[in-house]
Amino acid sequence: MLAVAVLAAGKGTRMRSAHPKVLQPLAGATLVDWVLQSCEPLNPQRWLVVVGHQAERVQQHMQRDGQRLEFVLQQPQQGTGHSVQQLLQPLADFTGTLLVLNGDVPLLRSTTLHHLVQHHRQSGSAVTVLTACLEDPKGYGRVFCDDRQRVTAVVEDRDCTDEQRRNKRINGGVYCFHWPSLSAVLPRLKADNQQGELYLTDAVGLLDPATQLTVEDATEISGVNDRGQLAACEQVLQQRLRQQWLAAGVSFLDPASCSLSPGTRFGRDVVVAPQTHFRGANSVGDGCRIGPGALIEDSQLEADVEVTFSVVRQARLARGCTVGPFAHLRPGTVLEEHCKVGNFVEVKNSQLGADVKAGHLSYLGDARLGRGVNVGAGTITANFDGIGKHPTTVGEGSSIGANAVLVAPVTLGRDVTVAAGSTITSDVTDDALAIARCRQVEKKAWHEPAASHRSGSTSETAADQPS
């Protein structure tokens, strides 16, 4: 059996943040989300998460459907050894393999963890440590091995002698333990170090045999302690995501300028132009062209959709829609096939039927537009009366003139024409022309009085002006 223990109790002081370190955002998820994701293919029988700082908040974030996480409180936090000691009671009857890793190592690959567990079991070791060799190992604990690559000691960087610091093999902070062996030595840990903490590495020194596995890509064990390291991990994950989708047939015209989320899925022959960003869970269909300058978040785009210099959030776009430039599709927007939403048009919680065109400078909120409706420039649905939001319905084939205001709640029938500049406050029947504006009045031979209404002028003399 396999149990996974994620150590997520730390505060992360160097992050300078009000948020727990493991909940820092990274490439569309959080640090601890990436760690859990890397462990999922191992199919562990037990998931344990050690929480401490802002424990309730961390626990609330990590609750997942179908994943039985067991939360263990570490209070106070007195080091990694103390953290794992908290597992003695929950794992009292467990006799299998325990994989221990920190909640701030987001770059670990599932294949690496699988290899570590497999190597540990085949070697029959009491503990296997994941290590890496770095040209500059400063700040990392060092792992010392004998001629047979058995681990003889693990020493924290601050506790190393000058000679020991020359060792380039570092501790990745990821361990596989034979749990009965580890549980027997955990009570023997002592805080004999500069930090006055219980180190899990001291338990490694008490176990025999202790082996190590060297990770091929040392970036995988990069931890996150500050904003600089968080940014470095972001770059690595973004590069991995881009490479994944480039290999799957997505074209990025300027890959380095774009960012992806792990929940985004692309079809074939998608073209992503520069400065385009995807957040959350997105589905982008075959032949779409996204960008430049687009933000797509938690949205579904069917085939052959084009989005240019626009924001699309929690929206659904059917085949062949065109959006932008400078459009904003807000949550609840649904565009049926071949809709066009153009320059500076905002749509919120509205459904636009097939072939609807809203080309310029319009706001459509809480509206339902039938097939083929044409929305003139400057049209708005006045959906808010100061207390609540109200719907606007426009039947198929209708045409809304420029600068019209549809004051909700209001329903326009099929094939209605609304004259430009009209303010519609009542329902309109099918096949009608709606005109709601004052008749134009022209006063001939009218001139502005010469002595008034001019900037900086007055009809009063200085003596007449009030003091």
Side-chain angles (χ1 to χ4, degrees), residues 31 43 78 109 291 408 420:
L31 286 173
N43 295 316
Q78 296 177 325
R109 291 186 170 95

Side-chain angles (χ1 to χ4, degrees), residues 120-367:
H120 171 76
R121 288 171 170 170
Q122 290 175 350
S123 68
S125 300
V127 57
T128 304
V129 183
L130 189 66
T131 69
C133 293
L134 299 181
E135 286 302 315
D136 181 11
K138 183 179 179 180
Y140 289 93
R142 308 303 201 277
V143 177
F144 299 89
C145 301
D146 60 18
D147 294 339
R148 295 185 297 168
Q149 293 303 302
R150 297 282 184 95
V151 175
T152 57
V154 181
V155 183
E156 294 296 320
D157 180 68
R158 60 174 58 89
D159 298 317
C160 284
T161 65
D162 290 340
E163 177 65 26
Q164 288 173 325
R165 287 193 177 95
R166 296 191 181 95
N167 179 17
K168 295 183 179 181
R169 183 176 298 281
I170 68 160
N171 176 20
V174 182
Y175 312 87
C176 261
F177 291 101
H178 176 244
W179 172 248
S181 300
L182 176 62
S183 62
V185 302
L186 280 174
R188 296 163 53 188
L189 298 182
K190 297 180 180 180
D192 297 333
N193 52 69
Q194 291 184 14
Q195 294 294 101
E197 295 182 346
L198 299 177
Y199 288 160
L200 184 58
T201 50
D202 288 344
V204 174
L206 298 173
L207 295 172
D208 185 44
T211 58
Q212 63 84 28
L213 176 69
T214 306
V215 64
E216 293 183 7
D217 180 3
T219 62
E220 285 192 50
I221 60 173
S222 299
V224 176
N225 293 305
D226 56 39
R227 300 283 183 175
Q229 293 172 341
L230 186 69
C233 286
E234 177 83 29
Q235 292 182 343
V236 172
L237 289 172
Q238 289 297 334
Q239 179 65 9
R240 287 184 187 177
L241 290 168
R242 290 191 293 262
Q243 288 296 330
Q244 171 190 339
W245 289 110
L246 283 165
V250 176
S251 294
F252 291 89
L253 303 186
D254 183 12
S257 73
C258 300
S259 62
L260 306 179
S261 64
T264 296
R265 298 291 179 265
F266 296 95
R268 296 177 300 175
D269 300 315
V270 173
V271 177
V272 180
Q275 296 295 335
T276 294
H277 307 281
F278 298 87
R279 299 285 182 268
N282 299 290
S283 174
V284 182
D286 296 348
C288 288
R289 184 179 181 93
I290 314 299
L295 171 62
I296 312 297
E297 182 176 319
D298 293 318
S299 296
Q300 290 127 32
L301 283 59
E302 295 183 5
D304 302 316
V305 168
E306 182 173 344
V307 179
T308 307
F309 290 112
S310 296
V311 175
V312 178
R313 282 194 168 100
Q314 297 177 37
R316 181 164 57 85
L317 283 61
R319 176 185 295 271
C321 289
T322 303
V323 177
F326 311 115
H328 186 186
L329 304 188
R330 292 169 56 191
T333 294
V334 177
L335 306 185
E336 301 297 342
E337 291 188 353
H338 303 294
C339 280
K340 177 178 175 57
V341 175
N343 307 267
F344 302 102
V345 175
E346 180 180 358
V347 184
K348 187 271 296 185
N349 190 34
S350 296
Q351 181 171 341
L352 278 57
D355 300 307
V356 167
K357 292 179 173 58
H360 324 276
L361 303 161
S362 296
Y363 170 71
L364 302 173
D366 301 292

